[in-house]
Amino acid sequence: MTTQSDTVTRLAQHRRYLMCRPEHFTVSYSINPWMEPSRPTDTAKAVRQWQALHDAYVALGHEVELIDPVPGLPDMVYTANGGFIVDGRALGVRFRVDERRGEERPFMDWFAAHGFEVVEPVEVQEGEGDFLLVGDTILAGTGFRSVGDSHRELGRVFEREVVSLHLVDPRFYHLDTAITVLDPVEGPGGVERANIAYLPSAFDDGSRRILAERYPDAIQVSDADGAVFGLNAASDGLHVFVSPRATAFAAQLEERGYVPVPIDLSELLLGGGGIKCCTLELRGGAR
Ligand code: ARG
């Protein structure tokens, strides 16, 4: 499926994702500013909202793999933090926070059982929550969870350029809460560089300069849309799965020929996660 805008043709690319049904979802501890254990959560509602995201991916032709949820690991639904995978090689995670360390082994075991080459991590990092593949480059976040040394480890493991970015707002503690990868696009002259959308106020000055230089055509998203987790979106190059509350961002996407697909994960936001957090991309590897 494609759409045509004035300048480019958007192409939907096939995606393979790993998700985890939030059967044990709750907020029993607080490790980010969104989590408030005294506020009640509705697990059935979380499952329904998650299912809508799952079904939207499948309806648009994507493949969704599932990892079994483990009782007592309420954050396991946020599979983006389960690892980082490129070309069939899966770097496991080493969580900063003790509450989530129990997820490390189940994710690595799943990768191994599904034909991925697993690399056990040394440094603290939280997977695709902080590492985003944009074209051939890996953007890597630090400031709250993943440590700077993990960026060097990442470069060694994947032999790709790694660009470190510093997050400064505790509400946007993972890189995927402040950047959406919009994927390679085809323009009149062929393939253009992969583009992103980002929330400038989530970054320090140096990182903002890097982003402006590297991605002059990026969509800069408003604080209002950032605050509803608008940037925590997934794109297949054409469809952008995004919070229905990020209305101005949706309009910016449409202007450029993307098709926003609104998915409401309000219940999962009580844990400080959204669409992208619930989605880990599986790149390469055996089936
Ligand atoms: N409660 C989880 C945590 O604080 C939410 C993780 C969100 N994941 C993400 N990729 N941003 O770790």
Side-chain angles (χ1 to χ4, degrees):
M1 185 175 173
T2 60
T3 64
Q4 199 95 36
S5 82
D6 286 354
T7 48
V8 289
T9 303
R10 303 287 170 202
L11 297 178
Q13 297 169 326
H14 181 261
R15 294 277 184 261
R16 187 169 173 231
Y17 293 135
L18 178 64
M19 298 181 73
C20 179
R21 186 173 277 110
E23 281 165 27
H24 308 292
F25 175 73
T26 185
V27 177
S28 52
Y29 50 79
S30 180
I31 54 175
N32 68 54
W34 305 85
M35 299 174 84
E36 181 48 73
S38 63
R39 225 163 122 185
T41 48
D42 181 340
T43 305
K45 185 176 173 191
V47 171
R48 276 197 307 278
Q49 292 183 334
W50 174 94
Q51 191 70 46
L53 175 63
H54 170 280
D55 294 353
Y57 286 148
V58 172
L60 286 166
H62 301 302
E63 216 174 313
V64 181
E65 303 279 354
L66 297 175
I67 182 170
D68 288 335
V70 178
L73 296 175
D75 276 339
M76 200 170 163
V77 57
Y78 306 115
T79 51
N81 300 121
F84 183 70
I85 301 168
V86 184
D87 292 341
R89 177 175 293 180
L91 177 63
V93 291
R94 203 173 171 290
F95 281 99
R96 156 83 57 125
V97 288
D98 283 342
E99 288 86 345
R100 296 195 65 181
R101 295 214 55 196
E103 299 175 37
E104 295 169 4
R105 191 47 57 192
F107 276 109
M108 282 191 269
D109 289 348
W110 191 94
F111 301 143
H114 290 79
F116 293 91
E117 176 201 344
V118 178
V119 180
E120 297 221 11
V122 178
E123 306 295 343
V124 167
Q125 45 84 1
E126 300 196 349
E128 204 167 67
D130 269 329
F131 303 154
L132 299 172
L133 184 68
V134 188
D136 285 328
T137 299
I138 302 171
L139 301 183
T142 186
F144 296 99
R145 299 288 182 87
S146 302
V147 300
D149 283 341
S150 74
H151 298 180
R152 283 177 278 284
E153 185 178 3
L154 189 63
R156 283 196 301 275
V157 171
F158 293 102
E159 295 174 327
R160 280 166 200 256
E161 179 191 27
V162 175
V163 176
S164 291
L165 299 169
H166 289 258
L167 295 163
V168 294
D169 183 331
R171 288 174 302 161
F172 308 109
Y173 56 93
H174 278 139
L175 192 64
D176 71 356
T177 67
I179 290 183
T180 307
V181 182
L182 294 171
D183 307 305
V185 293
E186 231 171 46
V191 175
E192 292 177 17
R193 203 158 58 160
N195 203 8
I196 62 168
Y198 68 100
L199 177 65
S201 61
F203 296 94
D204 71 5
D205 291 344
S207 304
R208 268 204 301 273
R209 268 197 301 277
I210 292 172
L211 289 169
E213 217 166 84
R214 287 191 165 248
Y215 306 105
D217 298 327
I219 298 179
Q220 301 204 8
V221 175
S222 68
D223 288 350
D225 282 355
V228 294
F229 252 46
L231 273 306
N232 196 246
S235 168
D236 65 16
L238 170 63
H239 309 102
V240 183
F241 303 85
V242 60
S243 164
R245 294 196 275 169
T247 48
F249 181 31
Q252 288 172 303
L253 288 165
E254 277 175 340
E255 258 163 44
R256 294 171 184 238
Y258 295 101
V259 178
V261 179
I263 304 281
D264 183 16
L265 294 189
S266 59
E267 199 61 26
L268 290 156
L269 190 53
L270 299 176
I275 292 167
K276 179 64 194 75
C277 302
C278 295
T279 309
L280 174 66
E281 190 164 351
L282 302 170
R283 302 178 186 89
R287 307 225 153 172

